[in-house]
Amino acid sequence: MAGSDEKYMWMALDLARQGRGSTNPNPMVGAVLVKDGAIVGTGYHRLAGGPHAEIVALRQAGERARGATLYVNLEPCSHYGRTGPCVDAVIKAGVSRVVAAMEDPNSRVAGRGFQKLRAAGIAVETGLLAEKARRLNEVFIKYITTGLPFVSIKTAMTMDGKIATRTGASHWITGEKARQFVHRLRHNSDAVMVGIETVLQDDPRLTARLAGGGGKDPLRVIVDSSARLPLEARVINPGSRARTLLATTGAAAPEKLSALRAKGVEIAVLPAKGGKVDLHALMRTLGEMEIASLLVEGGGTLNYSLLQAGLVDKLYLFIAPLIFGGRNSPTAFGGEGVAAVEQAWQVHDLELKQFDGDLLLIGYPQPAAAR
């Protein structure tokens, strides 16, 4: 049975992934119903506010769900949110066994779903492929337990660590396949963020332009302590329905803020720290806006400031087969930097991908103080 259980749990995880980019701030969940060695129902959570995975699978199975085993990557919910509790539907359907990868970290659930299932006489087993399940829903886990977005930094650099030439030229460091991966990251994110220098230098649109057409544009966040954002910037005028948020401070001129509002820009006037936007305050604001996932595509200054503030959860570092050189060419992480090797951030759980000649390193940074 153990081998079969793992097979069906992998199926549940694969189903859950199909909801990526559409379920935030809810988790990605997949469900598989199996009876007498045959799959009788499958489902995944497609959209926040829509039916949960278990409900989709139960509807597909109908009466065949009675006596079946339910495989699900996350504990079935036991509370009323945008939909009703899944555990009630599972019990009513007559499911005899539930195999779940992990407990729901949401304090409104947190084991209560399992308790209710067991109280109804349903066998419950947990922990199968738990680490895979946690990694899949890393965004949800961070957001639901802290109220803060899961922050990923994406940057493209040369083999000598440069993100632009000494004149500021950076288009294009990576090839088309790598850039399409980035558009997919944007599509899957609630918000994408850059600093004002990136806007002034590159004038990006920050939209999700998928290879097959379409794409869900994220909220565009510009960190700009004195509101230097040009009124004609493409991030304001990209022909997209997505909103643009300017994160600024009290140093911004009121008349400029009024002009930006007239262009449809949302304004968040935040506390300043060292003359710059307080990034912790910005993260709290984004969390309150239900921004669960934030993709940062800024320059070295913003990247290092976020890293130094302990706000970076994940890194996507593209390395192109180019060398720019130049003592003044900007690097992916600027700032003052550490004084000793022992103070460096370590990046763990590394994953390597390749897009034609470009390499992508994915990992999770950990400061020296946390080791």
Side-chain angles (χ1 to χ4, degrees), residues 344-360:
W345 285 264
Q346 287 188 356
V347 183
H348 59 93
D349 293 348
L350 283 175
E351 179 183 355
L352 177 66
K353 295 179 180 290
Q354 185 165 358
F355 300 88
D356 290 334
D358 301 316
L359 298 178
L360 171 61

Side-chain angles (χ1 to χ4, degrees), residues 308-322:
Q308 192 175 39
L311 294 172
V312 181
D313 298 295
K314 194 170 187 176
L315 298 170
Y316 292 90
L317 307 179
F318 283 96
I319 303 171
L322 302 171

Side-chain angles (χ1 to χ4, degrees), residues 282-320:
L282 174 56
M283 294 305 139
R284 289 192 295 270
T285 297
L286 292 175
E288 291 166 0
M289 294 171 64
E290 290 197 344
I291 299 300
S293 58
L294 174 65
L295 178 66
V296 179
E297 296 190 48
T301 300
L302 180 59
N303 289 348
Y304 186 78
S305 295
L306 287 163
L307 196 63
Q308 192 175 39
L311 294 172
V312 181
D313 298 295
K314 194 170 187 176
L315 298 170
Y316 292 90
L317 307 179
F318 283 96
I319 303 171

Side-chain angles (χ1 to χ4, degrees), residues 124-137:
V124 176
E125 299 171 28
T126 65
L128 182 63
L129 300 182
E131 186 54 38
K132 299 293 184 183
R134 280 191 286 270
R135 184 56 54 85
L136 175 68
N137 272 313

Side-chain angles (χ1 to χ4, degrees), residues 224-227 246-253 257 267-273 275-278:
D224 181 5
S225 58
S226 55
L246 180 76
T248 190
T249 70
L257 296 183
I267 309 292
V269 180
L270 300 167
K273 188 173 183 180
K276 304 293 184 181
V277 171
D278 185 326

Side-chain angles (χ1 to χ4, degrees), residues 3-348:
S4 297
D5 285 348
E6 187 166 318
K7 178 181 76 171
Y8 294 126
M9 185 60 75
W10 274 116
M11 290 182 63
L13 288 165
D14 289 340
L15 283 165
R17 288 186 186 94
Q18 295 184 46
R20 191 182 297 278
S22 302
T23 65
N24 288 347
N26 291 346
M28 291 178 279
V29 181
V32 179
L33 277 164
V34 178
K35 185 175 183 180
D36 299 327
I39 296 172
V40 296
T42 62
Y44 70 94
H45 186 39
R46 293 175 180 267
L47 189 69
H52 289 188
E54 300 93 324
I55 303 303
V56 177
L58 288 169
R59 287 174 180 171
Q60 188 180 108
E63 282 301 313
R64 294 176 297 174
R66 189 164 300 279
T69 295
L70 170 66
Y71 296 89
V72 63
N73 60 293
L74 187 71
E75 175 185 5
C77 65
S78 56
H79 67 292
Y80 283 90
R82 296 176 182 176
T83 61
C86 290
V87 288
D88 292 354
V90 172
I91 293 168
K92 184 178 180 181
V95 170
S96 62
R97 178 174 174 249
V98 172
V99 181
M102 62 173 287
E103 181 180 293
D104 191 332
N106 187 342
S107 61
R108 300 174 69 186
V109 185
R112 295 181 183 87
F114 292 149
Q115 291 173 10
K116 196 167 185 179
L117 291 170
R118 289 186 174 111
I122 296 174
V124 176
E125 299 171 28
T126 65
L128 182 63
L129 300 182
E131 186 54 38
K132 299 293 184 183
R134 280 191 286 270
R135 184 56 54 85
L136 175 68
N137 272 313
E138 59 192 6
V139 169
F140 169 72
I141 293 170
K142 166 79 179 289
Y143 180 73
I144 204 66
T145 56
T146 68
L148 301 174
F150 185 92
V151 179
S152 299
I153 284 180
K154 167 263 157 186
T155 190
M157 68 183 81
T158 61
M159 292 182 74
D160 55 338
K162 308 297 185 180
I163 60 173
T165 68
R166 59 183 175 81
T167 64
S170 61
H171 291 170
W172 294 102
I173 290 178
T174 55
E176 178 61 27
K177 287 186 179 179
R179 297 200 297 275
Q180 272 302 311
F181 181 86
V182 174
H183 284 293
R184 176 62 62 178
L185 286 179
R186 291 178 184 174
H187 170 79
N188 291 338
S189 300
D190 294 330
V192 58
M193 185 169 83
V194 297
I196 183 58
E197 295 298 337
T198 295
V199 175
L200 297 176
Q201 182 69 38
D202 298 337
D203 194 21
R205 284 178 284 177
L206 300 181
T207 52
R209 304 181 295 279
L210 303 183
K216 176 181 65 67
D217 292 341
L219 169 74
R220 298 179 293 272
V221 182
I222 314 301
V223 183
D224 181 5
S225 58
S226 55
R228 292 186 289 152
L229 180 62
L231 296 177
E232 65 277 9
R234 292 200 301 175
V235 76
I236 302 175
N237 307 290
S240 169
R241 294 181 180 179
R243 299 137 57 205
T244 299
L245 173 70
L246 180 76
T248 190
T249 70
E255 58 272 18
K256 180 63 178 293
L257 296 183
S258 295
L260 288 167
R261 286 192 181 98
K263 297 280 287 185
V265 178
E266 299 176 27
I267 309 292
V269 180
L270 300 167
K273 188 173 183 180
K276 304 293 184 181
V277 171
D278 185 326
L279 295 173
H280 287 277
L282 174 56
M283 294 305 139
R284 289 192 295 270
T285 297
L286 292 175
E288 291 166 0
M289 294 171 64
E290 290 197 344
I291 299 300
S293 58
L294 174 65
L295 178 66
V296 179
E297 296 190 48
T301 300
L302 180 59
N303 289 348
Y304 186 78
S305 295
L306 287 163
L307 196 63
Q308 192 175 39
L311 294 172
V312 181
D313 298 295
K314 194 170 187 176
L315 298 170
Y316 292 90
L317 307 179
F318 283 96
I319 303 171
L322 302 171
I323 295 175
F324 284 170
R327 64 177 62 88
N328 295 320
S329 301
T331 60
F333 294 89
E336 185 177 0
V338 301
V341 173
E342 294 77 15
Q343 298 171 331
W345 285 264
Q346 287 188 356
V347 183
H348 59 93

